[in-house]
Amino acid sequence: MIVMKFGGSSVGDGERIRNVAGIVGSFAEREGTPAVVVSAMQGVTDSLILAAEAASKRENGTLHRTIAELYARHEEAAAEVAPESEREALLGEVHALIRDFENLCAAIGVLGELTPRGLDAVASFGERLSARLLAAALRRASYAAHALEASDFIVTDACHGAASPQWEPTRERTRAAVLPLLAEGTIPVITGFIGASPEGVVTTLGRGGSDFSASIVASCLDADEIWIWTDVDGVMTADPRIVPEARTLPEISYAEAAELSYFGARVIHPKTVLPAVERGIPIRIKNTFNPEGPSTVITSSPREDGSTVKAITAIKGLSLVTVEGRGMIGVPGIAARVFSAVAQEGISVLMISQSSSEQNICFAIKSEEADRAIAALNEAFARELAARNVDRIWAEEGVAIVAVVGKGMRRTPGIAAKLFGALGKAGINVISIAQGASEHNISLVVSETQVEEAVRAIHREFDLGRGS
Ligand code: ADP
Ligand code: ASP
Ligand code: MG
């Protein structure tokens, strides 16, 4: 049994939804009924959040315009995908859902604030709409299909905006909801991205989290494979939007996929890999717009191609925080205090580097968290600052991490030299460096203005586009 997930661009409009129905339907005829997980139509989650934020600030112009656009896009898609006999009913369902959303926005407007819990309720509407549209498109193509809301069976903690599944109830309830449909040959079309707390309050798994939904469902159903359908030919040597000559990687390991996604390769959500590793379920990444084209399979033991560097990724929008002072030399426990101060603020650190002289420790975090991190560190080191043992705590904004990933780097000397040579030649200044303990990864901090050029220069140097 296969779990297939379709991303937002794959279901961007009515015609694309019908294309997806074609892919799913013909697969079902050949190989048996898959379980399908679907994202909101492209851009819809952003629009929902925009509307709710406008409501909370009582910006009625933006609110009404955005809601009108949501009606228009979903009405148009519904008209395109619905079987003739279901047209009125589907339009009615779409209207009822968007009306609920309008009411929610009205309540947010009255309260004048948008809580994380409210934001999850808001963001859930996109997938609730798209799942109904795709199920209808499948029925129009004469396949039995039924839309399911994952909030009825994916049980999560109440960490709104980044919820984690509670495996036991989730497994039991997912099997109860999905297996009977599969047994009778009805294609379940499940909302990605959402779950619900044990009390039944809607949660979301994090932006881009429909990939994670697919691996949760696959794990619960003991699926044979997870197929993630997106808008590119699998996992590539770099983001093809940055490097046009990027090439598809036919096979990579779970560890490599995890590193790539953690360091910004949006093609797969970072949390997707773990449930798949635990049950040994291969993940395939395929292109909805080029279904017969190249694709990637992610497994525990991919065939090795002898390469050192496999892929390059980048994350923008970061700040590099530095704690500096001569008085830190040889004092035990400074690093522990730095990171516990930051952790207490709930801020996650993407990369750490400490110079061997121990005169400074620096780490990268998301820019919007920099002020809070600096305030927490100033408080934690108030005494050392007063005594001048710590001289300065500051953040450099507008930086990016470039991560170079590949299992083969481990046993090959000279990779770092080649890497820095390439950046030097391209005139790119490296602000900081870290090598992951796994040696699957070298990450460097560069200015955001140079990040794309850095990715291209490294891609060229290691000849990753060869054969394309
Ligand atoms: P979906 O809507 O299907 O979930 P996303 O937009 O989340 O799709 O992810 C697909 C995008 O990921 C691609 O369009 C591409 O620009 C980007 N991407 C970033 N890094 C990579 C990479 N190494 N390989 C492939 N795609 C990548
Ligand atoms: N629709 C959600 C988002 O835009 C989840 C997803 O697409 O994976 O973040
Ligand atoms: Mg995605």
Side-chain angles (χ1 to χ4, degrees):
M1 203 275 300
I2 309 292
V3 175
M4 293 191 174
K5 175 262 174 176
F6 292 88
S9 52
S10 301
V11 294
D13 59 29
E15 201 185 319
R16 289 181 175 190
I17 296 173
R18 289 182 65 182
N19 176 46
V20 166
I23 291 176
V24 172
S26 64
F27 177 89
E29 276 175 17
R30 278 181 286 119
E31 316 270 346
T33 314
V36 174
V37 173
V38 69
S39 292
M41 293 172 75
Q42 188 169 35
V44 164
T45 310
D46 288 337
S47 297
L48 293 166
I49 294 170
L50 179 76
E53 283 173 346
S56 73
K57 291 182 253 169
R58 305 201 177 116
E59 292 168 0
N60 288 336
T62 309
L63 173 63
H64 294 140
R65 200 173 338 107
T66 313
I67 287 182
E69 281 164 15
L70 286 168
Y71 272 114
R73 267 188 84 182
H74 288 91
E75 277 168 2
E76 208 172 292
E80 168 94 30
V81 301
E84 200 48 49
S85 61
E86 283 187 34
R87 228 175 136 147
E88 289 309 310
L90 185 64
L91 273 171
E93 275 190 77
V94 163
H95 284 164
L97 275 169
I98 302 181
R99 216 171 306 120
D100 284 351
F101 174 68
E102 276 188 272
N103 291 336
L104 184 56
C105 286
I108 290 166
V110 171
L111 293 172
E113 77 166 345
L114 187 52
T115 60
R117 173 175 165 157
L119 201 57
D120 275 357
V122 160
S124 73
F125 279 89
E127 274 72 8
R128 293 164 67 195
L129 286 158
S130 64
R132 285 167 171 81
L133 296 176
L134 178 54
L138 281 161
R139 291 192 295 269
R140 174 172 173 151
S142 43
Y143 301 100
H146 188 70
L148 294 176
E149 299 207 355
S151 42
D152 291 333
F153 48 87
I154 294 186
V155 183
T156 70
D157 58 20
C159 179
H160 287 285
S164 299
Q166 296 182 344
W167 285 102
E168 247 175 64
T170 298
R171 185 175 169 89
E172 195 183 307
R173 288 166 67 167
T174 302
R175 296 177 75 85
V178 179
L179 290 177
L181 291 173
L182 291 175
E184 63 173 46
T186 298
I187 301 166
V189 181
I190 303 165
T191 56
F193 187 44
I194 67 174
S197 68
E199 293 73 37
V201 179
V202 173
T203 56
T204 66
L205 307 174
R207 293 306 307 270
S210 297
D211 300 333
F212 186 29
S213 305
S215 83
I216 294 171
V217 169
S219 165
C220 293
L221 299 178
D222 299 321
D224 297 305
E225 293 193 2
I226 303 164
W227 289 14
I228 299 203
W229 290 89
T230 182
D231 60 355
V232 284
D233 291 342
V235 179
M236 309 185 77
T237 49
D239 186 340
R241 290 179 208 201
I242 299 177
V243 184
E245 64 274 19
R247 193 174 47 85
T248 300
L249 294 162
E251 296 186 29
I252 58 172
S253 68
Y254 291 121
E256 288 168 330
E259 300 260 1
L260 286 170
S261 59
Y262 179 78
F263 284 106
R266 202 178 39 168
V267 63
I268 160 172
H269 187 276
K271 289 187 181 165
T272 314
V273 174
L274 203 55
V277 178
E278 278 174 354
R279 294 194 177 257
I281 307 173
I283 306 173
R284 273 179 211 283
I285 318 278
K286 296 169 78 77
N287 189 346
T288 331
F289 306 104
N290 185 18
E292 304 304 324
S295 63
T296 301
V297 59
I298 307 171
T299 61
S300 57
S301 49
R303 212 168 352 112
E304 279 309 321
D305 57 2
S307 66
T308 52
V309 171
K310 274 203 184 153
I312 307 156
T313 59
I315 325 182
K316 294 209 247 182
L318 305 179
S319 289
L320 190 69
V321 177
T322 305
V323 179
E324 184 180 80
R326 271 163 311 219
M328 289 163 49
I329 298 177
V331 180
I334 297 268
R337 283 173 58 206
V338 167
F339 294 112
S340 79
V342 174
Q344 268 168 21
E345 285 293 309
I347 296 170
S348 97
V349 171
L350 288 136
M351 183 195 123
I352 302 169
S353 127
Q354 178 171 24
S355 66
S356 54
S357 69
E358 292 186 48
Q359 285 195 27
N360 70 55
I361 296 175
C362 59
F363 57 91
I365 57 177
K366 285 195 202 131
S367 280
E368 60 265 26
E369 298 179 326
D371 287 345
R372 273 195 302 134
I374 298 286
L377 289 167
N378 276 324
E379 198 181 311
F381 288 95
R383 253 189 309 131
E384 286 81 357
L385 283 161
R388 296 285 176 84
N389 288 329
V390 169
D391 295 321
R392 211 149 76 97
I393 299 172
W394 84 98
E396 177 168 354
E397 294 195 9
V399 303
I401 294 180
V402 174
V404 179
V405 174
K407 205 152 93 185
M409 298 197 304
R410 184 179 200 141
R411 27 169 216 281
T412 316
I415 302 285
K418 195 166 166 184
L419 186 61
F420 294 112
L423 294 174
K425 258 190 293 179
I428 291 158
N429 178 34
V430 177
I431 302 168
S432 175
I433 308 161
Q435 176 164 15
S438 67
E439 292 187 47
H440 289 181
N441 163 337
I442 298 174
S443 27
L444 11 122
V445 176
V446 300
S447 159
E448 209 165 63
T449 56
Q450 293 190 303
V451 64
E452 274 148 18
E453 192 40 47
V455 172
R456 284 192 282 265
I458 300 168
H459 201 271
R460 243 186 341 261
E461 182 71 25
F462 287 91
D463 199 19
L464 297 186
R466 69 188 172 276
S468 66

